[in-house]
Amino acid sequence: MYNHFDNKNKAFGFCISSGTGSGTYSPTNEGFNFTSDAAAANMYVMEHEFIHAFQDDTYTGGTEQYGLGPNGPQDGFVNIEFEQALMNDMINYGNTTAFDLSSATQAQKDAYLLWINQVTSNGTTYPKLKPNGTSAEIADYNAFMSSYNSFLAAYNALSGNLNHSVALNLSPQALIKLFNNINRNCP
């Protein structure tokens, strides 16, 4: 993600101000807003919001169209939040941010972690997701998307999920872009 923004010479604004939660990324002003110095220094909060910035830059028209509207979450909001949580869980292998609500069953958490283990080879790599490629690559992509959509639907259905929205119609474009462009041959 850093290279993506560095290549674009992207500059973000950063602000510390009172509010609820710990931090937000605003697609309107392309800025990060944190509720305290401690929140701004928290790696997980920064990572969470930085993933949202990457999503905003990846999705055509940005992510504001899928954000929180005056009447609550807009269609697609859950897609953005679940994709962010999954990216976080894959990057920080072994987390269950997507299924950390008390309404999630242990079986849901276990199945989700098992899937992450499978697609990341137990946290040692990220999946290559090619919808157009060899027949094996297409089969891997289709299998990933089938599981992704199943977990997305389960996440959306969790009782008390503030990220719930009606439409589940977005493919995880930022996740696909990020994991397909990771340099696997570091010097």
Side-chain angles (χ1 to χ4, degrees), residues 15-17 22 34-42:
C15 179
I16 308 284
S17 62
S22 50
F34 299 99
T35 56
S36 68
D37 289 338
N42 184 302

Side-chain angles (χ1 to χ4, degrees), residues 171-182:
S171 68
Q173 297 171 32
L175 184 143
I176 292 167
K177 182 176 184 174
L178 176 65
F179 292 152
N180 283 350
N181 290 299
I182 288 178

Side-chain angles (χ1 to χ4, degrees), residues 41-75:
N42 184 302
M43 178 187 76
Y44 295 109
V45 173
M46 176 60 81
E47 181 178 89
H48 177 112
E49 300 311 330
F50 200 75
I51 290 171
H52 282 316
F54 185 72
Q55 289 173 309
D56 185 50
D57 201 62
T58 300
Y59 283 84
T60 302
T63 56
E64 188 169 19
Q65 62 194 317
Y66 309 114
L68 289 173
N71 299 320
Q74 299 178 76
D75 287 353

Side-chain angles (χ1 to χ4, degrees), residues 86-167:
L86 176 59
M87 289 171 72
N88 182 285
D89 293 344
M90 287 180 161
I91 291 167
N92 298 296
Y93 177 70
N95 285 354
T96 58
T97 356
F99 286 89
D100 65 354
L101 294 171
S102 61
S103 59
T105 67
Q106 190 60 48
Q108 286 174 312
K109 292 176 185 180
D110 291 346
Y112 176 70
L113 281 174
L114 178 63
W115 176 58
I116 289 175
N117 288 345
Q118 290 168 341
V119 298
T120 64
S121 296
N122 295 317
T124 61
T125 189
Y126 298 115
K128 283 282 195 183
L129 303 169
K130 297 188 175 194
N132 304 311
T134 67
S135 58
E137 289 170 334
I138 294 170
D140 287 347
Y141 173 81
N142 289 337
F144 177 88
M145 289 306 301
S146 177
S147 294
Y148 177 89
N149 287 324
S150 177
F151 284 110
L152 170 62
Y155 171 76
N156 193 49
L158 289 174
S159 175
N161 185 351
L162 300 177
N163 297 327
H164 171 84
S165 65
V166 177

